[in-house]
Amino acid sequence: MDLDLDTDGAALTAQLVDVPSVSGAEGPLADAIERALRPLGHLSVYRDGDTIVARTELGRPERVILAGHIDTVPVAGNLPSRADGARLYGCGTSDMKSGVAVQLRLAAHLPEPGRDVTYVFYECEEVAAERNGLLRLSRSAPDLLAGDFAVLMEPSGGQIEGGCQGTLRAEVTAAGKRAHTARSWMGRNAIHEADGILAVLRAYTPREPEVDGLRYHEGLNAVAIRGGVAGNVVPDECVVTVNYRFAPDLDGERAAEVVRSLFEAWPVTVLDVAEGARPGLGHPAAAAFVATVGAGLGAPRAKLGWTDVARFAALGIPAVNYGPGLPELAHTAGEYVETPAIADCEARLRAWLALSRRTYRAVPTGPSLPRRSYRAVPTGPGRRRA
Amino acid sequence: MDLDLDTDGAALTAQLVDVPSVSGAEGPLADAIERALRPLGHLSVYRDGDTIVARTELGRPERVILAGHIDTVPVAGNLPSRADGARLYGCGTSDMKSGVAVQLRLAAHLPEPGRDVTYVFYECEEVAAERNGLLRLSRSAPDLLAGDFAVLMEPSGGQIEGGCQGTLRAEVTAAGKRAHTARSWMGRNAIHEADGILAVLRAYTPREPEVDGLRYHEGLNAVAIRGGVAGNVVPDECVVTVNYRFAPDLDGERAAEVVRSLFEAWPVTVLDVAEGARPGLGHPAAAAFVATVGAGLGAPRAKLGWTDVARFAALGIPAVNYGPGLPELAHTAGEYVETPAIADCEARLRAWLALSRRTYRAVPTGPSLPRRSYRAVPTGPGRRRA
């Protein structure tokens, strides 16, 4: 199946949704994206596994990155896509093939943006980190990801969400002593002892720090509990797995200290940590993004969930989340996207990418304008697509 | 292998231990027991599966039952048996082939007891109740188990333990509402909610009621806890499995009411109940048992663990636990039995079984006497074994 990058964003989203691409099975969609981009003379295209990178190489003083994953969670009887008025239903409509459609439309139709652009279409975001295409690329070919600022096109309801909180999981273990339950006073019940761990969780008051002007909101939760030997045995161990979501003013090491300190009465084993990302909205490229793309939107808000913006932060690249999808519908069987939001997102990004002191003037755009008017109008020398 | 019922109790225990009989594989041992008992003219022998019943049928006004299971827990590198001074080591020495040896010795050498005796050797006590040979017999051939009083020869350290506590397992469920842990305030954490369940368990004060003159000691314990959906999800359910060990002044229904009342704030699902058994020491046969067998021993004590005496109680037969094994060594790799306790148990039971106002006089016996003197001496007409 060949993608038609000249159709509008909503129709292109439907095309993308109708090529199923559950994590690990992105091959056909990656092939289609590669086939669509290779012929475009203004882009250098790279492929690594099922991850595609397409870059303009115009020697602009700034380079920005638009990144989106092409995989979805498992299909839930919600394919093929189905349009219903201003909504397009189907697996991946919000998370995040509508964002990918915007990337592809911009890649095809902005041959000479005011900023150099790197478009990243990557695999396996919805599964274990070690399979994540963006993580692999950041290790195997970091130069391909070089840039001044990144936009991760995860569903954000068309709002700009800055940075992301980190996440840490740890096991907190209450110990006891086994005994037969008929003589339970010979032992010490570890599950009963775990009430102290739960008391810490219930007494916890989340921090809500302001970081680079955005208000974060931490959280500390038990996400699992296990204990028990047999139906007639006083158990000697109860393990509570806690998940700490920490604001990006802490790094993972500091976050681990917070957890160890809260649960100082028990052994704590940190299972995994994913660093957060500061919003970095003070960076000039980010400030320009907020000023242009965010015009008329609500003020940027803090991203509370962990996203791949943290991978850009780890590379020293400030990044925001911004995409047309609705985050609350992600991973649901009833997933849909509001199609006007796709055009709105494309128009705002197009205006920002086109902007340059030297070569482009912005064309005001909005979702109510006909599609062709979304294009930036070149005012100086430049290559056009054939 | 043929059993020699003329050898002493310690040597016979070793013979029994050296025929492995892990639950479900009691066939060879049941065969050996059947072969040893069939030729004895004073016994009627029945077999059902690997459960053997041998009865005197002398028309005595009272009938008592001596019951013991012939299976063991899995062998733990502790076979064959090994004698070391006054200890005999090996799988099943305490639990409970030493008790079975006493039963066999009495069955062979008391052809005309003062009370009719039913000897029950049954399978699958160490595994799930539905495989238990005594339970099966109580349903398929309850007449074979008819009697006025029963002695279950479980290890009791040579002390008389009356009745047994009941046991009930129930699930108590804390509910919550799922949410992403990055926005945990949108949900309600069921594991955190479970702290109320643990608080009830910690605050619980066990009853220690006196029942028929024996002091019981209840217990209420969490024996399992589970909860958790995924590492990033606020869980909506946490289930605590509790085990209530209740004194035999309560029946299972009352015990369930106690648990429901303690945890009235949460849904409670009763998983299973095993009724307890009152000690019944006020019954004349039981009183005679305590007076004769218990002479010089400590006062009878309450059995806190659940045993098959409850099956006799369910048949309306008062029952006690009394055997030469050491209960604290049951199911351990280092299991052993003190061999003098075997002879002591045999002598005490022999004296009690021989007693009758009409036909027998008791012969005082003790472990220091040579084996032959343990026999009751008939003083009236009676059949002797060929």
Side-chain angles (χ1 to χ4, degrees):
Chain A
M1 135 122 215
D2 284 325
L3 301 172
D4 175 7
L5 306 192
D6 287 330
T7 189
D8 65 35
L12 180 54
T13 300
Q15 290 177 33
L16 294 168
V17 168
D18 291 341
V19 183
S21 58
V22 175
S23 310
E26 299 93 335
L29 184 56
D31 293 348
I33 290 172
E34 185 181 7
R35 273 200 308 276
L37 297 178
R38 281 276 181 213
L40 303 181
H42 63 280
L43 295 174
S44 303
V45 178
Y46 306 83
R47 178 163 180 165
D48 177 61
D50 288 330
T51 292
I52 314 283
V53 179
R55 294 156 50 102
T56 64
E57 289 175 349
L58 300 167
R60 302 282 194 252
E62 255 181 24
R63 174 175 289 280
V64 298
I65 302 161
L66 298 190
H69 63 84
I70 62 171
D71 62 322
T72 69
V73 294
V75 179
N78 50 359
L79 282 187
S81 63
R82 175 175 60 85
D84 183 359
R87 291 180 177 178
L88 179 72
Y89 286 83
C91 181
T93 45
S94 261
D95 188 12
M96 56 167 278
K97 290 183 176 177
S98 49
V100 172
V102 171
Q103 289 178 270
L104 286 168
R105 293 264 310 148
L106 295 170
H109 298 297
L110 266 184
E112 297 201 345
R115 300 175 159 90
D116 266 316
V117 187
T118 303
Y119 301 94
V120 183
F121 307 89
Y122 65 100
E123 74 211 81
C124 284
E125 190 269 351
E126 298 288 7
V127 289
E130 67 264 22
R131 298 171 61 190
N132 184 298
L134 189 63
L135 175 63
R136 190 181 65 239
L137 211 59
S138 74
R139 289 168 175 169
S140 64
D143 288 355
L144 276 185
L145 294 181
D148 299 290
F149 180 65
V151 180
L152 193 68
M153 300 200 60
E154 287 279 355
S156 70
Q159 300 294 313
I160 300 171
E161 295 186 328
C164 76
Q165 293 196 133
T167 177
L168 174 153
R169 288 188 316 131
E171 287 186 346
V172 187
T173 302
K177 187 180 159 214
R178 285 195 197 188
H180 196 289
T181 52
R183 286 178 200 77
S184 52
W185 51 92
M186 307 289 284
R188 204 173 72 254
N189 194 313
I191 296 175
H192 299 192
E193 299 283 325
D195 78 335
I197 296 171
L198 301 189
V200 169
L201 288 164
R202 290 199 73 136
Y204 167 80
T205 305
R207 288 199 317 138
E208 299 184 45
E210 197 177 289
V211 183
D212 296 352
L214 301 189
R215 174 79 57 193
Y216 288 84
H217 191 149
E218 298 194 334
L220 180 67
N221 273 274
V223 290
I225 190 166
R226 66 177 193 271
V229 175
N232 60 353
V233 176
V234 172
D236 56 353
E237 186 176 89
C238 180
V239 180
V240 183
T241 307
V242 301
N243 179 214
Y244 178 35
R245 298 281 172 156
F246 53 96
D249 59 338
L250 301 186
D251 63 14
E253 206 161 311
R254 290 282 308 285
E257 280 167 25
V258 168
V259 171
R260 286 185 203 286
S261 158
L262 281 166
F263 297 104
E264 62 185 352
W266 300 272
V268 171
T269 305
V270 173
L271 300 177
D272 46 40
V273 189
E275 301 282 350
R278 297 182 72 101
L281 298 182
H283 187 281
F289 178 86
V290 171
T292 312
V293 175
L297 299 180
R301 59 192 183 196
K303 184 71 171 178
L304 302 181
W306 190 93
T307 75
D308 274 329
V309 299
R311 303 205 194 282
F312 289 109
L315 293 169
I317 304 171
V320 298
N321 305 275
Y322 173 65
L326 295 164
E328 61 273 24
L329 299 180
H331 306 189
T332 68
E335 181 177 357
Y336 64 82
V337 65
E338 305 271 11
T339 49
I342 305 173
D344 183 64
C345 176
E346 180 184 335
R348 289 172 183 273
L349 287 173
R350 180 187 299 265
W352 169 63
L353 291 174
L355 268 182
S356 146
R357 279 186 306 267
R358 290 184 298 125
T359 53
Y360 287 87
R361 59 182 169 84
V363 177
T365 59
S368 57
L369 297 178
R371 184 171 61 82
R372 287 277 151 194
S373 72
Y374 297 172
R375 277 201 193 161
V377 178
T379 57
R383 294 174 298 172
R384 289 302 302 270
R385 185 180 162 225
Chain B
M1 137 124 212
D2 285 324
L3 301 171
D4 176 7
L5 306 190
D6 287 329
T7 188
D8 65 35
L12 180 55
T13 300
Q15 289 176 35
L16 294 167
V17 168
D18 291 342
V19 183
S21 58
V22 175
S23 307
E26 299 94 335
L29 184 56
D31 293 347
I33 290 171
E34 185 181 7
R35 273 200 308 277
L37 296 178
R38 284 273 181 214
L40 303 181
H42 63 282
L43 294 175
S44 302
V45 177
Y46 307 82
R47 178 162 180 165
D48 178 60
D50 289 329
T51 292
I52 314 284
V53 178
R55 296 156 50 100
T56 64
E57 288 174 349
L58 301 166
R60 301 281 194 251
E62 256 181 25
R63 174 174 290 281
V64 298
I65 302 161
L66 299 190
H69 64 84
I70 63 172
D71 62 321
T72 69
V73 294
V75 179
N78 51 358
L79 283 188
S81 62
R82 175 176 60 83
D84 183 359
R87 291 181 176 176
L88 179 70
Y89 285 85
C91 180
T93 46
S94 261
D95 187 15
M96 54 166 282
K97 291 184 175 176
S98 50
V100 172
V102 170
Q103 288 177 270
L104 287 169
R105 294 264 307 147
L106 295 169
H109 299 299
L110 265 184
E112 297 201 345
R115 301 174 159 91
D116 266 317
V117 187
T118 302
Y119 301 95
V120 183
F121 307 89
Y122 64 100
E123 73 213 80
C124 285
E125 190 270 349
E126 300 287 9
V127 289
E130 67 263 23
R131 298 171 61 189
N132 185 298
L134 189 63
L135 175 63
R136 189 180 65 238
L137 212 58
S138 73
R139 290 170 174 170
S140 65
D143 289 354
L144 275 185
L145 294 180
D148 301 289
F149 180 64
V151 181
L152 192 68
M153 301 200 60
E154 286 280 354
S156 70
Q159 300 294 312
I160 300 171
E161 295 186 329
C164 75
Q165 293 196 135
T167 177
L168 174 153
R169 289 187 316 130
E171 287 185 346
V172 187
T173 302
K177 186 179 161 218
R178 285 195 197 187
H180 196 287
T181 52
R183 287 178 200 78
S184 52
W185 50 93
M186 308 288 285
R188 203 172 73 252
N189 194 312
I191 296 175
H192 299 192
E193 300 283 325
D195 79 336
I197 297 171
L198 301 189
V200 169
L201 289 164
R202 292 199 72 137
Y204 166 80
T205 305
R207 289 197 317 137
E208 298 183 46
E210 197 176 288
V211 183
D212 297 351
L214 300 189
R215 174 80 58 194
Y216 288 84
H217 191 148
E218 298 195 331
L220 180 67
N221 273 274
V223 291
I225 190 167
R226 66 176 192 274
V229 176
N232 61 353
V233 176
V234 173
D236 56 353
E237 186 176 90
C238 180
V239 180
V240 183
T241 307
V242 301
N243 179 213
Y244 179 36
R245 297 282 173 156
F246 53 97
D249 58 338
L250 301 186
D251 62 12
E253 206 161 310
R254 289 281 309 284
E257 281 167 24
V258 168
V259 171
R260 287 185 202 285
S261 158
L262 280 166
F263 298 104
E264 62 185 353
W266 300 272
V268 171
T269 305
V270 172
L271 300 177
D272 47 39
V273 189
E275 301 282 348
R278 297 182 72 101
L281 298 182
H283 188 282
F289 178 86
V290 171
T292 312
V293 175
L297 298 178
R301 60 192 184 196
K303 185 70 171 179
L304 302 182
W306 191 94
T307 75
D308 275 327
V309 298
R311 303 205 194 283
F312 289 108
L315 294 170
I317 305 170
V320 298
N321 305 274
Y322 174 64
L326 296 163
E328 61 271 25
L329 299 180
H331 307 188
T332 67
E335 180 177 356
Y336 64 82
V337 65
E338 305 272 10
T339 49
I342 304 172
D344 182 64
C345 176
E346 180 184 336
R348 288 174 182 272
L349 287 173
R350 179 186 297 266
W352 169 63
L353 291 175
L355 268 182
S356 146
R357 280 187 304 266
R358 290 182 297 127
T359 51
Y360 287 86
R361 59 181 169 83
V363 177
T365 57
S368 58
L369 298 177
R371 185 172 60 80
R372 286 280 151 192
S373 71
Y374 297 174
R375 277 200 192 162
V377 178
T379 57
R383 293 173 301 173
R384 289 301 302 269
R385 186 183 163 219

